[in-house]
Amino acid sequence: ETGVTQSPTHLIKTRGQQVTLRCSSQSGHNTVSWYQQALGQGPQFIFQYYREEENGRGNFPPRFSGLQFPNYSSELNVNALELDDSALYLCASSLELAGNSEQFFGPGTRLTVL
Amino acid sequence: GDSVTQMEGPVTLSEEAFLTINCTYTATGYPSLFWYVQYPGEGLQLLLKATKADDKGSNKGFEATYRKETTSFHLEKGSVQVSDSAVYFCALGAMGTNAGKSTFGDGTTLTVKP
C-alpha cells in the first residue's frame, strides 16, 4: 500500500506566475484535502475534494483552485502568485468524508515565490 | 468559528523528563480531536486521536484525554527520548458540511537533550 505522494518536492516561482502542484492519494482513499503551512505556523485548510467535486473551502481567494481526477489524485493550482504564497503545501487523503476520519499526509511541496 | 490554541513553545527537556503540551479548542458540536507530529523536512503523521468525550488516545507512550468540560486535549508522555524531538500539532476535525476539514493549532516545538 503506497502512501500519499506529492510532486514536485520544491518549486521556485516569481510573483505573478502560475503553479500546479500534484498529489496522489493513498490507495483506496476517495477524499483529498489541501493545506497551506506557512513557516512557523500550523496548516491552514484550503479546500477538500470528494469524488471529484469540491466539498468545503477555507478562507482562500479564488486564484486557489483544484481538481480531483477519477483515480482520486488531485491538483492544486495557484494563479497570480504573491510573495505570501510562499509556504509548504500539504496534501492529505482519507477514506471517508467524515471529521473523525484519519487523514494521511504527504511530505509536502515547498513553494518559494520571489 | 472553530479554533485550536496550543501551548507556546519551544519546549526543551532533558531525556526521561515528563512532557505536557497543552491544547484547548473552540468548536460547535462534538468534533474529533487529534495530535499530529512533524519531523524536520517531513509531512504530518497522526500520533493519536479521540473521537468522543472522555476518550483517551494513546500511541508510542504519548497519551491525551478528550475533556469536553474543559475543552482540552493535553498531550502527555512520562519519559521523553531524544527521538521525540519534533513539532507537535493539536487539531480538531469538523463535522457536517465541513467534514474532513481539520483546524490546526500553531504547533509546539519540542527539543529533547541527552
Side-chain angles (χ1 to χ4, degrees), chain B residues 17-57:
Chain B
F18 183 84
L19 169 70
T20 299
I21 300 177
N22 290 337
C23 171
T24 57
Y25 68 90
T26 302
T28 54
Y30 304 97
S32 293
L33 299 173
F34 306 86
W35 277 101
Y36 288 87
V37 58
Q38 187 174 37
Y39 298 101
E42 298 184 13
L44 278 69
Q45 300 174 26
L46 179 67
L47 182 58
L48 52 85
K49 71 176 184 180
T51 58
K52 61 183 187 294
D54 299 325
D55 264 3
K56 177 185 282 188

Side-chain angles (χ1 to χ4, degrees), chain B residues 76-97:
Chain B
E76 296 182 336
K77 186 175 185 182
S79 176
V80 293
Q81 305 300 312
V82 172
S83 57
D84 294 327
S85 297
V87 182
Y88 292 81
F89 292 93
C90 183
L92 64 85
M95 305 300 289
T97 57

